[in-house]
Amino acid sequence: ELLKITVAVLASLGMIMPASNAFVLLERRQSAERPFLQKQKPQSATTTTTTLDPSSIAKATRRRYSRITYNVFAARSSSALLMSSNPEGDEDFDDDEPLSESPADTASNVLGTALECCCSNVRNTGIGTGFYRNGYCSTGEQDFGRHTVCCQVTDDFLAYSQSVGNDLSTPVPEYSFPGLQAGDVWCLCAQRWVQAHEAGQAPRVYLQRTHEKTLSYVPLSVLRPYALDGDAADEDLATLNEQREKLSKLFEQE
């Protein structure tokens, strides 16, 4: 009865089909379900006890919670870094804008063109870089650390990073982290890159592979001198500027 009353009210408001039609569909569905339900055999009172291997349970638990633990660790690490670099807490860390997890369909780089793959197979380990381990420096609401800067690490940077409490050299298999060596290409947290830049230890970057959200932490003018793909990036910017000028002229004519 309550269902019928609800359907009638919603139908009167134009939110669903007329109540009479809804009742007909409801009756048809109930009629179709009755034979099926009548054929079902009552469950046996006997229960079967399945013995699970403790090691299997432990492995499943680690797989289930490894990503959650990583998110918590990233959140704490990023929050601590933010507070140390901005004690007043005036800077907004997370945007309200929803972020896409897609690698290249909608994501853009710091140049304004489509985000390119950073590294899909680090040292032939089968592990891709990025928060989502898809090879792209894409980001999303779960990525509290903003792993958006595609960079090529060096021994000096790895030593510096370890000295400030961010060990990137030690493998962590449960997080699909291979441990980095000089020459590896990896998606670094934007704030970590800025921290290294301020200390004079920042690694070089690929602008075409660095997510546009990086610009919330550092301007393109600072990133450009570190670019490994500087010439290609300059060509992209020149093309975009040319297109902007053409659009501006069209608007002026109108």
Side-chain angles (χ1 to χ4, degrees), residues 78-95:
S78 300
S79 298
L81 181 58
L82 176 62
M83 292 302 294
S84 63
S85 61
N86 184 23
E88 299 298 329
D90 294 332
E91 181 180 356
D92 184 14
F93 177 70
D94 278 325
D95 297 320

Side-chain angles (χ1 to χ4, degrees), residues 166-187:
N166 187 28
D167 182 6
L168 298 176
S169 303
T170 303
V172 187
E174 55 267 36
Y175 298 147
S176 297
F177 181 67
L180 302 182
Q181 299 176 9
D184 287 345
V185 179
W186 193 256
C187 294

